[in-house]
Amino acid sequence: MSSISSNEISLSPPIEKIGVLNSPISRRPKSFYSQISTNKSAGLKCQFCLECFDLLDIFEHEKGLSTYVTVSVSNVAHSNHGNQYGRKRWAVIGRTYIVENNCNPQYHDKEFEINDVVEDAGVVLIQTYALHPANEMPVCIGTCQIAIKEMLHCDSIVTKELRVGEWQKGNVVIYMRAKKESKYPQIEDIVEYCTIADVDEPAAMSFNEDDFKNTYFKDVLGNIDRQKYHFNLRQQLSRSLRVSEEMFELATSFNIPALYIRLLCEREHQNMVVLQSMVEGFSEEVSSIAAVSRATKISQYRDELAQLGLCSKHSFKKSEWKGQSECKWAPVNLHAQVLEVNTVDQKTNISCSRDQYCLLAVGAMAGHWDKFKNGGLVSILGKSKDGEKFAERREKYRVLRKIEELLHTYSRTENSLDSDKRLAKDIVSDLITLSKEAVTRTALEGLQKTLNPDKQLEIMTLSADLEKIVKSIKVSSKESLSEVCRNYCLHAQRALIWSITQLELDNREHFLNILNRFEACFSQLLSTVVSGFIVNLCFRSRDVVFEQQLRDKVIPVMFESLLSTHGDESGMLEDMQFVIRHISNIRLQLAKGEDSEQVSVTKVTGTQFDVCVVISVPEGVWDLLPEEVKNGEDITFYGLFFSHGINEQQTIAYKISETGQQDKICEQFLEDLQSYIDTYVSPNLNLFDFKVDNSLSNNMERLKYLYKATKRGKCSDFIVLAEQIGRDIGCVRCTSCKSAKDRTSMSLTYEYCNILCKQHDFHTDDIPPVLEQFRRDGTRYHNTFKNIGSYKYCFNKLQCKMLPPIYKPPPGTFGDGAQQT
């Protein structure tokens, strides 16, 4: 490869590749163009797309260049908006996707739009970047400028040379799509208070990277998309807000489901081994049925693990894959959203405070691949005997897990069981409690009836009152006590496994399909919850509220659903509602990683209903943890789930009085939320930063009042206030719709604005242009491209009319006839 002189190319700052790249130029809200001038000639709209040809392959790579283009606009008509040196201020209005291995790339699918331009003064800057084949660092290989006046008065095509200094590096073709009067609303004078920092002021936009995150969490948080903004404050002119909006993909999207499937496979194999150990006591027919049942499930899990492995080469599950059974175990479009707000002194350019807010976006944890003809899990298990069988199976696995834990305890303490009378008393007491469980007795009786006559006597003896047997044995008699307790556990384990197998044999295919639906939905929940914990561990490790939650060993997780209660989405909502009930069955253990330098999920243990996830934590993170979680005790989760539909399907639901499901979910949410506050928040109010001492109680009263309004119609205030309370009490926050792309993006971007207003004194009058900027060019807009390959929110005009005002997308950002996801 030939050497390249420094005056031929310029290097942009390092950025991360996600299909849509971070621009090396600072950005200003697109609404800036409609606000910067009151010139009477404003009001034109210019639309165009691009292609390049004859690009010089500066890397001399055999496959050609991988390129993308950024488009910026400068308006020099008003010097009061320029900087003190009189240099142009560029604002990026968009960028193309990456076209790989092509020196003649076409970007026709990406349409650029400039609204309300000033014809006499506007200039467009086009910059072409190529990715270095070794490290994928973007290198500017050519730029050109063209006056907007020239674009408006040309025919339909304009060709310009791309140059770096005196050297021509290729050509760019501008295809004009439209030149017409703009119908966008005008908002004047807001730009004085709401702008984006200049590209000529790198020091003002220098965000210090969190070394803690980069050092310990880079294996979990990947493919970052970042946008940066600079907002001045109306009420504090001496200060400004430097905002960084980040979106991360999470390696746990596929990692945790794979570990969970492996757990299920190991569980079935263990069950098969236990059944095989009992083969002498069964008839040949019964033994064959049991063996085939277990072997079939093991084969199924192995196949699904292999299919998931093929999908895991991607770091997240696209919305268009949600109906594919191959990756049903992974959550849909799971991303972490982090809003970092730096309050900066304008005179000294020094940051006064730095705050970070973590949010998760995830698609509905539901059986999309299995459709919703019969509703979701709530309806499926509530209208037949399947519900009773499911509850019975869950209860048997609960007891089985405790029995196996006692067996494990016996294996570790057998030598000291009788020498330590206190230990023996505790262990035997736990075993006697389990022996009195109705599930245990029924399982032992069922096993006794199934076994051959010569094996029944042994089980009959053990199925008697264990407490009486233990009392008849002297504690000092090591052999007798150990033998009785161990034998009882072994027989109880076998009886429960055989009883679980029998449940599956009756209407086997139908019942196993229900179990498989639950397992896949639970896997999505598991991945989401653990991902949320890791993200909060990364960004809230020094937060006193999060530290107290770790001491309490209870992490609150608030799920926000925007699904409707009409049509298929009602079934999705049922699936979510059902699996979130089981969030208390998810446990975490933190283990110090002696040789590990990164936070990672090492294993998942337990059963299909009750799992324990072990997270390996490097020393740098371990030292920040409270002592209460360093001894291996379980961390549990407290689920808070509310739902409020906002789309056109919910409008229909209100018209036909089909909102009972939503009402029940919200009633339970209010009850659970109040219970959590009373138990964990009220005793530690001094840790929480409430603006007013009684603001939490006032907000709860108002939330209950707004809940009544949700029964009559859509009430976006209920959603906004619930979000605020969740942030106030330190919840892990998850926002969801069908696939976390459109409605979720509208909700998250409005939540950003609400955070700026409530926590950072941002003026409410400045919300409209900032909200538009978040939705036009923020990370959530890029999320649409990552999912469907197009910069369009999937709303049509009718759907937009039905949305509450604060959730309507900006004009030009949604597609007519698109299917909402």
Side-chain angles (χ1 to χ4, degrees):
M1 183 181 296
S2 61
S3 61
I4 303 170
S5 62
S6 59
N7 63 348
E8 291 182 3
I9 62 174
S10 61
L11 293 177
S12 64
I15 57 179
E16 294 75 15
K17 179 180 178 182
I18 59 167
V20 180
L21 293 178
N22 296 315
S23 170
I25 299 179
S26 303
R27 309 184 68 168
R28 177 177 290 120
K30 197 172 285 187
S31 54
F32 169 86
Y33 311 111
S34 64
Q35 301 160 8
I36 196 169
S37 173
T38 56
N39 191 308
K40 297 299 182 181
S41 64
L44 295 173
K45 180 166 70 173
C46 178
Q47 296 174 336
F48 59 96
C49 65
L50 304 170
E51 71 175 50
C52 298
F53 66 93
D54 294 338
L55 296 179
L56 180 63
D57 188 357
I58 60 174
F59 304 120
E60 298 181 356
H61 195 255
E62 60 182 7
K63 293 184 179 180
L65 294 173
S66 295
T67 60
Y68 70 101
V69 176
T70 66
V71 177
S72 310
V73 172
S74 175
N75 193 314
V76 297
H78 295 75
S79 59
N80 60 310
H81 294 287
N83 57 43
Q84 58 181 328
Y85 303 107
R87 289 174 289 186
K88 291 181 180 178
R89 295 175 56 134
W90 296 105
V92 176
I93 64 170
R95 60 216 173 189
T96 67
Y97 46 86
I98 297 173
V99 175
E100 298 183 341
N101 308 327
N102 194 337
C103 290
N104 300 288
Q106 298 180 351
Y107 310 100
H108 293 174
D109 290 340
K110 172 60 179 175
E111 183 176 278
F112 298 91
E113 183 174 285
I114 307 175
N115 299 314
D116 303 298
V117 299
V118 181
E119 182 178 341
D120 296 331
V123 180
V124 175
L125 171 66
I126 298 173
Q127 297 174 295
T128 302
Y129 290 85
L131 302 182
H132 196 286
N135 55 21
E136 296 189 346
M137 176 179 285
V139 177
C140 182
I141 61 172
T143 67
C144 72
Q145 295 186 23
I146 179 173
I148 294 178
K149 181 177 180 180
E150 181 181 349
M151 295 174 65
L152 293 174
H153 290 82
C154 73
D155 293 328
S156 58
I157 300 177
V158 181
T159 302
K160 288 285 183 179
E161 293 180 353
L162 293 168
R163 310 183 71 87
V164 173
E166 300 178 357
W167 303 91
Q168 181 179 351
K169 301 295 182 180
N171 301 275
V172 62
V173 181
I174 304 170
Y175 291 88
M176 301 302 299
R177 292 281 180 87
K179 294 171 285 186
K180 58 185 179 181
E181 292 296 319
S182 173
K183 296 181 180 179
Y184 292 88
Q186 303 293 316
I187 311 174
E188 298 183 3
D189 302 324
I190 300 298
V191 70
E192 182 178 351
Y193 304 101
C194 168
T195 62
I196 298 301
D198 283 341
V199 67
D200 299 316
E201 302 172 12
M205 284 299 293
S206 59
F207 283 78
N208 295 324
E209 292 291 337
D210 192 338
D211 294 334
F212 182 73
K213 172 189 68 180
N214 294 336
T215 303
Y216 301 117
F217 292 85
K218 63 182 180 182
D219 285 356
V220 178
L221 306 175
N223 286 351
I224 179 177
D225 185 7
R226 180 187 295 114
Q227 296 298 329
K228 297 183 178 181
Y229 314 89
H230 182 187
F231 304 133
N232 291 332
L233 296 173
R234 286 190 184 217
Q235 298 169 329
Q236 300 183 44
L237 297 180
S238 62
R239 295 191 174 187
S240 62
L241 301 179
R242 305 241 171 97
V243 178
S244 174
E245 178 198 5
E246 298 175 331
M247 179 173 66
F248 299 92
E249 294 172 10
L250 296 156
T252 45
S253 288
F254 288 96
N255 179 22
I256 292 176
L259 291 173
Y260 180 62
I261 298 174
R262 191 171 289 116
L263 165 68
L264 298 178
C265 190
E266 292 172 354
R267 175 81 257 176
E268 291 301 324
H269 183 266
Q270 180 181 345
N271 291 351
M272 187 168 69
V273 170
V274 171
L275 290 174
Q276 287 174 345
S277 69
M278 303 163 58
V279 69
E280 295 179 359
F282 287 131
S283 65
E284 184 176 348
E285 181 182 0
V286 172
S287 300
S288 175
I289 292 174
V292 170
S293 173
R294 302 267 73 86
T296 302
K297 292 200 70 177
I298 291 173
S299 176
Q300 177 187 350
Y301 287 135
R302 285 176 177 171
D303 290 344
E304 293 189 341
L305 185 60
Q307 292 173 349
L308 186 67
L310 297 176
C311 300
S312 62
K313 62 182 180 180
H314 306 277
S315 50
F316 78 104
K317 177 179 170 182
K318 293 184 178 182
S319 63
E320 56 189 14
W321 299 344
K322 61 180 177 288
Q324 298 180 8
S325 61
E326 292 82 1
C327 50
K328 63 188 178 185
W329 300 83
V332 180
N333 194 18
L334 176 62
H335 284 81
Q337 302 284 151
V338 178
L339 190 72
E340 180 182 300
V341 183
N342 282 268
T343 303
V344 180
D345 187 284
Q346 293 280 50
K347 295 181 180 180
T348 62
N349 202 30
I350 296 176
S351 178
C352 305
S353 65
R354 181 189 183 203
D355 298 285
Q356 292 176 316
Y357 305 90
C358 306
L359 305 167
L360 253 65
V362 63
M365 295 163 277
H368 301 281
W369 75 96
D370 201 27
K371 309 302 180 186
F372 304 95
K373 182 178 179 181
N374 298 315
L377 286 169
V378 173
S379 294
I380 293 172
L381 294 174
K383 298 178 180 178
S384 65
K385 293 183 179 179
D386 293 325
E388 297 176 3
K389 290 172 61 177
F390 184 90
E392 184 180 351
R393 179 188 175 91
R394 180 177 56 199
E395 184 67 10
K396 288 177 178 178
Y397 262 120
R398 181 187 65 82
V399 177
L400 177 62
R401 180 178 65 83
K402 293 183 178 180
I403 291 287
E404 290 174 341
E405 286 177 352
L406 283 177
L407 276 173
H408 181 65
T409 303
Y410 286 139
S411 66
R412 289 188 294 108
T413 61
E414 186 174 0
N415 294 331
S416 59
L417 183 62
D418 293 293
S419 60
D420 188 339
K421 295 184 178 182
R422 183 175 181 181
L423 176 63
K425 182 178 179 181
D426 291 340
I427 293 178
V428 173
S429 175
D430 291 341
L431 183 57
I432 290 174
T433 301
L434 288 174
S435 71
K436 293 180 179 180
E437 294 264 6
V439 171
T440 311
R441 288 184 173 277
T442 304
L444 284 168
E445 291 172 2
L447 180 62
Q448 178 186 346
K449 295 176 181 178
T450 308
L451 289 174
N452 293 329
D454 57 337
K455 293 287 182 179
Q456 290 183 3
L457 182 61
E458 184 179 4
I459 300 298
M460 188 183 303
T461 303
L462 285 170
S463 62
D465 193 334
L466 181 66
E467 188 172 12
K468 293 181 180 179
I469 297 176
V470 171
K471 285 182 178 179
S472 66
I473 301 173
K474 295 182 180 179
V475 176
S476 60
S477 175
K478 173 183 174 182
E479 181 179 0
S480 298
L481 181 62
S482 300
E483 183 179 355
V484 169
C485 292
R486 183 175 178 80
N487 284 344
Y488 186 87
C489 284
L490 286 172
H491 283 292
Q493 178 193 33
R494 294 169 179 172
L496 287 165
I497 291 174
W498 171 242
S499 180
I500 291 170
T501 303
Q502 284 182 307
L503 279 177
E504 298 172 359
L505 298 180
D506 181 21
N507 199 8
R508 183 172 183 273
E509 184 176 355
H510 173 69
F511 186 62
L512 290 183
N513 285 339
I514 296 176
L515 284 178
N516 188 251
R517 183 182 185 122
F518 167 79
E519 290 166 351
C521 293
F522 186 73
S523 172
Q524 297 173 35
L525 173 71
L526 179 66
S527 181
T528 302
V529 168
V530 177
S531 299
F533 175 83
I534 293 176
V535 170
N536 279 262
L537 181 63
C538 175
F539 292 98
R540 295 178 58 201
S541 58
R542 298 167 181 83
D543 182 359
V544 293
V545 174
F546 186 66
E547 185 177 346
Q548 183 60 44
Q549 291 170 352
L550 290 176
R551 287 198 179 97
D552 294 334
K553 295 181 284 296
V554 177
I555 307 295
V557 185
M558 180 179 286
F559 296 91
E560 168 191 337
S561 164
L562 301 172
L563 294 170
S564 69
T565 54
H566 179 72
D568 285 351
E569 290 194 4
S570 176
M572 299 175 200
L573 190 57
E574 286 187 356
D575 282 351
M576 283 191 69
Q577 180 185 1
F578 189 83
V579 295
I580 290 174
R581 290 177 190 170
H582 292 76
I583 192 173
S584 58
N585 296 338
I586 299 175
R587 296 168 288 128
L588 284 183
Q589 286 184 359
L590 301 181
K592 186 176 181 180
E594 299 295 340
D595 302 323
S596 175
E597 297 181 354
Q598 293 287 313
V599 172
S600 61
V601 178
T602 55
K603 63 179 179 179
V604 176
T605 62
T607 70
Q608 64 189 142
F609 300 104
D610 191 329
V611 299
C612 179
V613 180
V614 180
I615 299 178
S616 176
V617 178
E619 186 175 0
V621 182
W622 184 263
D623 293 341
L624 297 175
L625 297 175
E627 293 298 326
E628 287 81 353
V629 297
K630 291 183 178 180
N631 57 7
E633 290 191 34
D634 293 341
I635 299 172
T636 59
F637 294 94
Y638 192 103
L640 300 166
F641 176 47
F642 74 92
S643 180
H644 190 62
I646 61 173
N647 66 352
E648 77 287 349
Q649 293 295 317
Q650 190 61 29
T651 303
I652 297 174
Y654 276 113
K655 292 291 185 182
I656 61 177
S657 301
E658 205 175 60
T659 61
Q661 180 185 3
Q662 176 176 285
D663 296 340
K664 290 179 181 178
I665 291 173
C666 290
E667 283 178 7
Q668 187 64 47
F669 165 71
L670 292 173
E671 182 180 331
D672 293 341
L673 180 58
Q674 188 64 61
S675 176
Y676 178 82
I677 291 173
D678 293 341
T679 306
Y680 297 102
V681 178
S682 297
N684 302 292
L685 276 177
N686 59 307
L687 300 177
F688 295 87
D689 183 23
F690 297 122
K691 298 288 185 181
V692 184
D693 291 341
N694 62 346
S695 61
L696 182 59
S697 57
N698 290 343
N699 284 340
M700 282 301 299
E701 290 300 320
R702 176 164 170 74
L703 187 67
K704 293 173 183 177
Y705 171 79
L706 291 174
Y707 161 65
K708 297 177 181 178
T710 64
K711 295 184 176 182
R712 300 187 295 270
K714 296 177 186 177
C715 180
S716 54
D717 288 345
F718 177 81
I719 301 174
V720 173
L721 186 56
E723 293 171 346
Q724 181 182 333
I725 294 174
R727 292 193 305 272
D728 287 344
I729 64 176
C731 290
V732 175
R733 282 271 300 107
C734 302
T735 300
S736 176
C737 58
K738 187 190 297 185
S739 60
K741 181 171 62 65
D742 305 308
R743 282 169 283 176
T744 296
S745 295
M746 298 301 104
S747 179
L748 287 174
T749 48
Y750 189 81
E751 187 168 0
Y752 292 164
C753 293
N754 198 40
I755 289 172
L756 296 178
C757 291
K758 298 294 184 181
Q759 304 298 130
H760 299 281
D761 298 322
F762 197 69
H763 201 283
T764 54
D765 290 346
D766 294 340
I767 285 182
V770 174
L771 183 60
E772 182 179 343
Q773 171 65 10
F774 282 141
R775 291 175 178 174
R776 279 191 183 277
D777 291 307
T779 61
R780 295 308 304 175
Y781 196 44
H782 302 164
N783 185 264
T784 63
F785 182 87
K786 292 175 67 174
N787 279 276
I788 62 174
S790 175
Y791 286 99
K792 291 289 184 183
Y793 297 115
C794 291
F795 299 110
N796 57 40
K797 290 182 179 179
L798 175 62
Q799 290 169 334
C800 286
K801 288 181 179 180
M802 299 294 183
L803 290 171
I806 63 174
Y807 297 121
K808 293 181 185 292
T813 62
F814 59 91
D816 290 345
Q819 183 179 359
Q820 186 187 114
T821 60

